Amino acid sequence: MKSKIDELMELKKQRNAIILAHYYQDPSIQDLADFMGDSLALAQAAKKTDADVILFCGVHFMAETAKILNPTKTVVIPDMNAGCSLADSCPPEQLKEWIDQNPGHTVISYINCNSGVKALSDIICTSSNALKIVASVPESTPIIFAPDKFLGSYINRKTGRNMKLWNGSCQVHIDFSEQEVINLCAQNPNAEVLAHPECPENILDYADFIGSTTAIIDHAVKSDKNEFIILTEPGVIHEMQKKAPEKKYIPVPSMSGCSCNNCPHMRLNTIDKMIDALKTLQPEILMDEDIRQKALIPLERMLELSK
Ligand code: 13P
Ligand code: SF4
């Protein structure tokens, strides 16, 4: 009998498809991907592929970004309900009102937002290029930043800027227990603490290193330390274990009492749903062409500045 993995690989060949996956996917999905990356690397990979179909194993805003960059390709996602609390916190109509209340401001949006928000933005950033993107805006130009208030306040602290911040947050990164971080640091005094900038300031205060998922993984692999406390979605640990299996990686539990802190949206994707998506080319990412063209402009600006 054909295994599920054989079936998926056959379909991938028939469809001339590429599988792009984020590091927060279940390890079984990560192992099947043609390309893994953080949000920036996935956008860059989506732009450059010559496959006909992109099977995007991540959340909706990531697959939508691939479609904005690649309108002639079919972009499918295993589960259309794989959303994001940050993207959901910022409906385009409300952002438009905020922009109108702040004339003369440059609008920088974190890539974790929907296409309507991108279409209203001057430039997009990701966690890996946010400091560079903000630095590209003259000091004298005021900025409004959406939707992640924690990434925004991290950038404000690092750069001395005073960007106005949308009140959005990631439900995963806001939920790390500070007490657990304190306990784990006490129990593992030699461990380095690695954090994603979506964490609140009281959690980032414990971090020895702050960066995107790719930056966190690369740091753990290259570091001369052997133990790491991980303040981001624990999916990243799979790649760390592959690249540096001799080291110890310690996930931090959430405040809601879970032993892990998985992103419930990312984890909706499964191998069965990947097979269905390649069989049926559904659910497909589609969007209004006018919005797509407007959203492309700030995304292209970001990609140009990230070269
Ligand atoms: P990265 O761009 O760092 O991979 O982050 C994506 C994300 O959704 C973090 O929650
Ligand atoms: Fe969105 Fe947070 Fe999940 Fe990332 S981890 S996709 S920011 S809800």
Side-chain angles (χ1 to χ4, degrees):
M1 208 182 97
K2 226 190 309 172
S3 75
K4 283 185 184 176
I5 294 174
D6 291 342
E7 190 180 359
L8 183 74
M9 291 303 138
E10 251 172 51
L11 282 163
K12 193 177 83 148
K13 207 165 156 198
Q14 280 166 20
R15 293 290 194 188
N16 187 25
I18 186 172
I19 302 176
L20 305 182
H22 188 261
Y23 290 117
Y24 295 166
Q25 292 294 282
D26 187 84
S28 62
I29 294 181
Q30 295 191 33
D31 289 344
L32 296 171
D34 296 300
F35 183 84
M36 298 279 307
D38 62 12
S39 306
L40 176 63
L42 288 167
Q44 288 163 329
K47 188 173 156 71
K48 119 163 163 230
T49 183
D50 52 14
D52 296 318
V53 173
I54 298 173
L55 173 56
F56 208 114
C57 297
V59 290
H60 188 266
F61 77 82
M62 295 179 171
E64 214 180 33
T65 301
K67 184 68 181 179
I68 295 166
L69 294 167
N70 257 319
T72 59
K73 314 254 183 233
T74 303
V75 179
V76 288
I77 183 168
D79 192 318
M80 202 50 135
N81 293 320
C84 168
S85 64
L86 269 170
D88 290 348
S89 78
C90 192
E93 316 74 53
Q94 286 177 27
L95 181 70
K96 172 85 175 63
E97 274 175 34
W98 198 46
I99 293 172
D100 290 344
Q101 287 158 12
N102 290 283
H105 285 61
T106 290
V107 182
I108 303 185
S109 294
Y110 186 34
I111 198 164
N112 297 36
C113 62
N114 67 35
S115 54
V117 165
K118 287 186 176 76
L120 291 167
S121 305
D122 295 308
I123 186 156
I124 304 300
C125 72
T126 73
S127 58
S128 65
N129 61 20
L131 292 169
K132 196 173 172 181
I133 299 292
V134 170
S136 76
V137 178
E139 288 275 353
S140 54
T141 307
I143 299 173
I144 59 178
F145 186 87
D148 186 359
K149 64 177 171 188
F150 294 128
L151 175 62
S153 68
Y154 168 70
I155 299 168
N156 277 345
R157 288 197 301 282
K158 286 290 275 190
T159 61
R161 299 289 281 244
N162 188 21
M163 302 188 299
K164 289 188 181 167
L165 310 177
W166 186 264
N167 187 18
S169 58
C170 160
Q171 70 188 84
V172 173
H173 290 85
I174 202 175
D175 200 32
F176 285 117
S177 154
E178 182 175 355
Q179 189 54 52
E180 289 287 358
V181 180
I182 294 169
N183 295 347
L184 287 169
C185 287
Q187 287 157 18
N188 303 276
N190 295 322
E192 257 190 317
V193 179
L194 313 182
H196 195 279
E198 285 174 18
C199 293
E201 187 177 352
N202 68 313
I203 296 291
L204 289 181
D205 282 347
Y206 296 91
D208 298 302
F209 178 84
I210 298 169
S212 76
T213 51
T214 298
I216 287 175
I217 292 165
D218 290 349
H219 182 89
V221 172
K222 286 189 201 129
S223 168
D224 54 12
K225 294 279 168 100
N226 286 312
E227 290 165 23
F228 305 92
I229 294 169
I230 308 297
L231 281 162
T232 191
E233 214 273 11
V236 295
I237 293 175
H238 186 57
E239 186 71 10
M240 292 168 173
Q241 277 166 340
K242 280 207 235 172
K243 288 188 166 149
E246 71 290 355
K247 298 188 177 185
K248 183 178 169 192
Y249 308 102
I250 306 155
V252 179
S254 69
M255 285 189 278
S256 35
C258 274
S259 57
C260 68
N261 204 355
N262 289 352
C263 171
H265 308 288
M266 288 275 183
R267 304 292 178 140
L268 283 175
N269 295 331
T270 63
I271 295 177
D272 283 335
K273 292 177 191 173
M274 290 167 74
I275 292 172
D276 282 349
L278 283 186
K279 257 191 206 157
T280 60
L281 296 184
Q282 295 289 333
E284 183 182 0
I285 303 287
L286 297 168
M287 81 194 71
D288 179 87
E289 180 56 16
D290 181 50
I291 302 256
R292 189 197 69 78
Q293 284 184 20
K294 288 189 176 126
L296 182 61
I297 299 167
L299 261 177
E300 294 276 21
R301 275 194 197 122
M302 172 190 84
L303 291 174
E304 198 49 44
L305 279 166
S306 306
K307 274 182 182 162

